Each structure stands twice: as structure tokens, then as C-alpha cells.
Amino acid sequence: MKSTLFLFAIFILFSCNEKKEYSPSKILSNCECDNTLKTDSVLYSTQIHKDRRQNSINFNCATVEKAIASMIDLNGNNEYCKNIYDIKCKSSKNENLILSNEFTYYPDEIMNREMNNADSQKLFFRELRADNQFYKFEMNSKREIIRITKIK
């Protein structure tokens, strides 16, 4: 019985992995996004820069695994779901897509606040200055970006 408990304790001790942390240097750069650049689709991106000549952005695609976690506050109340993203790789190839004139930006902090499109667009372009940001793009049938969500 003691040996079973000892083996069980050893199993639990070694079954826990170290916490994964996002590190830009650990992300692989061998994925491409040619098959995700379709109409009415969703894609993930990084290294975003606004194209000054036209209403478009340049970016690199990213492959992301998504999971959903159930979260609660410290008191055990207010249960909610949270998306957890694990970035597997990012493309080394630059892509370009046109921004819809009415695109909407959703950073996590204002998801539940009312904000008009003009304000959300200004906020998006201000936040583009920061490096190592990841975003989810949603496109319409014209292959224009209509919704941008910041991923943390």
C-alpha cells in the first residue's frame, strides 16, 4: 500500500508540466496562411503595419490553437468563460488585406463598453505601434477586414 501511494505521489509530481509562457523567440516561423485568406473567413496575425498608400494593412499570419477555460472570482462567484490562445507559429511571408471603411476593433478592455467605429479604429491604429501584438481578423465576402479582435 505504501509503495502504491509513493508511486501515485511520484506520478502526480512528474505529470505537471511547467507553465507555458509566450515567448516571441520560441515561436516557429514555418507556417503559411494561403489557405486561410479566403472570403468570409477568420485568420490570426502578427507584425501588423498600416500601408500608408491605401486603406490596408500588412501582416504575417499566425497559427493558433484555442481553448476555453471556465473562470471564477476569488469568492467562487461570477463564473465566466475565457479564451486561451497558444500561438504555434507565424509566417515569414508578408500579406496585405484591405480594411473595410466600417471595420470595428475590439480590444479586451472595451469588449463590453459602447464605442463607435471611429473611436475603435483610432484606438487600433494607436495600438499598432506596440510590437508582438496578435490579432484575429474577420473578413467579409469582398476579402475586406470587417472586425479585428486583440488576442492576449
Side-chain angles (χ1 to χ4, degrees), residues 40-52:
D40 293 326
S41 64
V42 174
L43 65 104
Y44 297 91
S45 62
T46 185
Q47 297 176 335
I48 301 170
H49 303 284
K50 181 163 179 11
D51 190 337
R52 299 198 189 282

Side-chain angles (χ1 to χ4, degrees), residues 68-132:
I68 299 174
S70 178
M71 310 291 282
I72 57 172
D73 62 11
L74 293 175
N75 299 324
N77 300 323
N78 301 324
E79 184 175 2
Y80 62 96
C81 293
K82 181 176 181 174
N83 291 329
I84 300 172
Y85 297 93
D86 187 17
I87 299 149
K88 292 298 181 189
C89 64
K90 64 181 178 180
S91 171
S92 57
K93 180 181 172 188
N94 280 339
E95 302 288 345
N96 182 287
L97 284 174
I98 295 174
L99 290 167
S100 168
N101 290 331
E102 292 85 31
F103 85 88
T104 306
Y105 174 55
Y106 296 103
D108 284 346
E109 299 85 41
I110 64 165
M111 283 296 260
N112 298 323
R113 262 188 2 201
E114 291 294 321
M115 182 178 273
N116 64 32
N117 281 1
D119 291 340
S120 72
Q121 290 174 6
K122 288 177 188 174
L123 180 60
F124 172 70
F125 291 124
R126 274 197 312 265
E127 289 186 357
L128 275 184
R129 297 179 190 132
D131 287 335
N132 295 324

